Amino acid sequence: MRGPGPGPDYYHERQRGYGGPRGGPYGGPPGPRGGYGPPGPYGNRGGPFMGPPMGPPQPQLPPTIPVDREKTCPLLLRVFPKLGGHNRLEAYAKRGAEPPGEVAVYTWPDATLRELAELVREVRPDARRNNVRLSFAFVYPDRRGVSVMKQVGEVWSDARRGSTPDDDKSLQQLQFQTGDFLDVAILRQPATEHAVSLPSDQQKAEAAAAAAKVQLPADMVQTAKSFGIRSTALSKYISLQSLAFSGSLVQRFPWVRDRMIADDKFLFKVVIEVLIDSGCATVAEVRKRGDEFWAEFEFYLSDLLVGCVLDVVLVSLMAPRAVLGGKAAALGQSALQRWLAGIPSAALEASVKGVKQYSVGSRFACLGVKFLEYSLAGITCGFIGQGLANSLMLLKRKIHGESENDVAVPPLFKTALVWGLFMGVSSNLRYQAVFGLERAVDMTIAARVPAVAYATTVAIRFVNNVIGGENFIDMARWAGVQ
């Protein structure tokens, strides 16, 4: 229920400012253009349009007077969220014909912008992405009764992205008055700016970690000391500690930590990749071996273990890594190390403005680098896996004797080279495409419905696995190892 609008004395009260000797609302005499002139003890409300308040700047806001929320009746706050920017001021010109999408919120004067951001997230799915900022503005009439808009703060929608100076500002501090509208702009950060944030020095980083009862690893402390540590990376690391399983992983394995900070679905993608590959491999092995499946279980198990390791490697090599410091951690001394530091983890990885930006040339170079990385992983796993399978085959024949139904032992080195070629070409291109499709979904449909990102990841990776299996069979037959 929205409740009644302001009474007949509302605009008059705005003009005289609860008056007596103080003059304008909480401050000096009314200023021009509907501004309220010099600040009194509670600042001023500023001019009729978004921007800084008129009059001298305030060094700091007064402290919030706590409200006993159990004994105090909440006030009605009429909130008007809009994706992409603030509503036009003209949309508030006619009483009763305000912008669509209104949300009625009952809250208290000591509610902060952080609290209000959480309320907006509850009712607007498009505000739940971690690359969204919420800009708050009050809409109220000036002394002539004309609506004006004043921006009062901006915060990250997802608190894990880090805090801003506006998070703890309360409605009371910002001089909200009953009858004001709250206009909220839902702003998506461009993909190239997702990770931009001001770096914190070592002292501030350690203080933030200590406040959260988290110990920073040595490399993060060194990064903070040398370059400053980005507040988004720090806050994401701290938030990961609250999760039992992932918290343990990010503490022990920096390569997991950096990828989870950059992509909160990294572990989900690894698990899905392993489950899909293992499931498909199991079905294929059962169909292939038939009644001999349990008799040849050791071969299936060796293939399965090597495949799981390979899945983790594949997803990890293509996953973006977070930039922890105020500068990219590129800092190898050799020319080769500096060049490699400028290559993205995936050809379609987003640039990070001011930290790491990728050219068209570096994106094409990524294909070549991943060819080498994937080929090396394929040769290594192929050599180990096929070597283990061959050893088991020979051991079994030595124990039980040879028979005319025995298949030829596959050539070890040739099979490993086929795996390397398959990984460097087929897997490289397919996983580049998977990364691009997942990123496109994240930037479009999943921006409104986050659950879609998880569903599409499962679907895309399942199709990719089926295609990859067919590709390997064709390549193995072409090479003569099957």
Side-chain angles (χ1 to χ4, degrees):
M1 184 173 179
R2 294 184 180 179
D9 292 334
Y10 175 72
Y11 305 108
H12 179 59
E13 198 70 21
R14 278 295 178 96
Q15 179 181 343
R16 63 186 180 89
Y18 305 1
R22 286 184 184 258
Y26 307 110
R33 288 169 43 105
Y36 294 105
Y42 296 97
N44 59 57
R45 292 183 59 104
F49 236 87
M50 288 196 303
M54 300 180 69
Q58 282 293 95
Q60 62 181 10
L61 293 171
T64 298
I65 301 174
V67 174
D68 186 340
R69 298 190 177 187
E70 293 185 358
K71 299 180 180 179
T72 305
C73 183
L75 58 86
L76 172 64
L77 179 62
R78 299 177 66 183
V79 184
F80 297 87
K82 181 175 181 290
L83 181 63
H86 286 283
N87 288 289
R88 294 176 61 85
L89 192 57
E90 292 80 2
Y92 293 98
K94 185 177 180 181
R95 231 352 118 153
E98 289 81 15
E102 177 183 354
V103 178
V105 173
Y106 288 91
T107 188
W108 291 265
D110 61 347
T112 63
L113 296 187
R114 176 75 265 148
E115 291 180 69
L116 297 176
E118 296 301 325
L119 293 173
V120 172
R121 283 168 58 86
E122 289 181 11
V123 297
R124 289 293 296 256
D126 48 7
R128 297 173 190 165
R129 302 296 295 166
N130 67 354
N131 65 324
V132 166
R133 295 178 74 93
L134 301 178
S135 176
F136 297 91
F138 292 160
V139 179
Y140 57 92
D142 65 7
R143 59 182 178 176
R144 300 166 298 171
V146 177
S147 293
V148 297
M149 181 180 286
K150 177 189 172 187
Q151 191 170 16
V152 294
E154 187 172 300
V155 304
W156 284 109
S157 172
D158 188 341
R160 294 175 297 178
R161 290 300 305 270
S163 61
T164 73
D166 297 332
D167 273 61
D168 295 327
K169 291 180 180 178
S170 68
L171 293 174
Q172 184 185 105
Q173 288 177 304
L174 298 169
Q175 299 183 32
F176 173 84
Q177 296 178 24
T178 302
D180 290 354
F181 297 145
L182 182 63
D183 191 276
V184 182
I186 302 172
L187 307 172
R188 294 179 190 163
Q189 289 289 99
T192 56
E193 298 180 8
H194 282 187
V196 176
S197 61
L198 296 177
S200 301
D201 59 26
Q202 181 182 356
Q203 184 177 4
K204 291 180 180 178
E206 290 181 329
K213 298 181 180 180
V214 170
Q215 184 175 2
L216 291 180
D219 64 321
M220 291 186 74
V221 173
Q222 184 58 44
T223 298
K225 180 179 179 181
S226 302
F227 309 106
I229 190 166
R230 290 172 41 248
S231 61
T232 49
L234 178 61
S235 62
K236 188 67 177 290
Y237 173 78
I238 291 174
S239 69
L240 288 171
Q241 301 304 304
S242 62
L243 305 175
F245 181 65
S246 63
S248 177
L249 284 178
V250 299
Q251 284 181 337
R252 290 172 172 77
F253 305 106
W255 66 272
V256 175
R257 176 199 67 204
D258 294 349
R259 286 163 174 80
M260 288 192 67
I261 290 175
D263 180 5
D264 54 8
K265 294 188 289 295
F266 170 69
L267 277 187
F268 175 79
K269 293 174 181 178
V270 171
V271 171
I272 288 300
E273 190 72 32
V274 170
L275 290 177
I276 290 175
D277 189 30
S278 301
C280 291
T282 300
V283 172
E285 290 284 347
V286 170
R287 293 178 60 185
K288 175 183 177 182
R289 301 186 189 277
D291 295 338
E292 300 296 321
F293 176 78
W294 292 110
E296 300 176 351
F297 182 75
E298 63 272 17
F299 302 111
Y300 158 73
L301 187 60
S302 66
D303 289 345
L304 184 66
L305 292 176
V306 173
C308 290
V309 172
L310 201 55
D311 290 334
V312 175
V313 172
L314 284 173
V315 178
S316 299
L317 287 176
M318 197 69 70
R321 299 182 298 274
V323 176
L324 301 179
K327 296 182 180 179
L331 311 167
Q333 296 300 316
S334 70
L336 177 60
Q337 287 175 309
R338 290 195 297 270
W339 180 78
L340 288 174
I343 303 299
S345 297
L348 297 176
E349 179 183 351
S351 295
V352 180
K353 185 177 180 181
V355 179
K356 55 177 183 179
Q357 294 176 288
Y358 303 120
S359 64
V360 174
S362 66
R363 295 182 186 280
F364 275 106
C366 173
L367 296 175
V369 171
K370 294 304 168 186
F371 171 83
L372 296 176
E373 291 179 347
Y374 273 36
S375 294
L376 180 60
I379 291 172
T380 302
C381 290
F383 187 82
I384 295 173
Q386 193 62 55
L388 182 60
N390 287 0
S391 298
L392 291 172
M393 290 175 69
L394 294 174
L395 179 61
K396 188 174 181 179
R397 290 176 187 182
K398 184 176 182 180
I399 295 173
H400 300 288
E402 297 185 4
S403 72
E404 59 181 15
N405 295 323
D406 288 340
V407 297
V409 177
L412 178 59
F413 291 100
K414 188 175 183 180
T415 301
L417 290 176
V418 170
W419 267 106
L421 180 62
F422 168 73
M423 296 286 290
V425 178
S426 176
S427 296
N428 180 12
L429 296 178
R430 285 185 293 104
Y431 279 87
Q432 296 280 6
V434 167
F435 181 93
L437 289 172
E438 288 178 336
R439 185 183 166 206
V441 171
D442 286 341
M443 296 173 63
T444 54
I445 305 172
R448 291 183 174 273
V449 187
V452 171
Y454 294 92
T456 54
T457 287
V458 174
I460 291 170
R461 291 182 182 272
F462 177 79
V463 173
N464 173 60
N465 197 276
V466 172
I467 294 173
E470 297 294 330
N471 285 352
F472 180 77
I473 291 173
D474 292 341
M475 186 172 289
R477 288 174 176 171
W478 167 77
V481 296
Q482 281 195 1

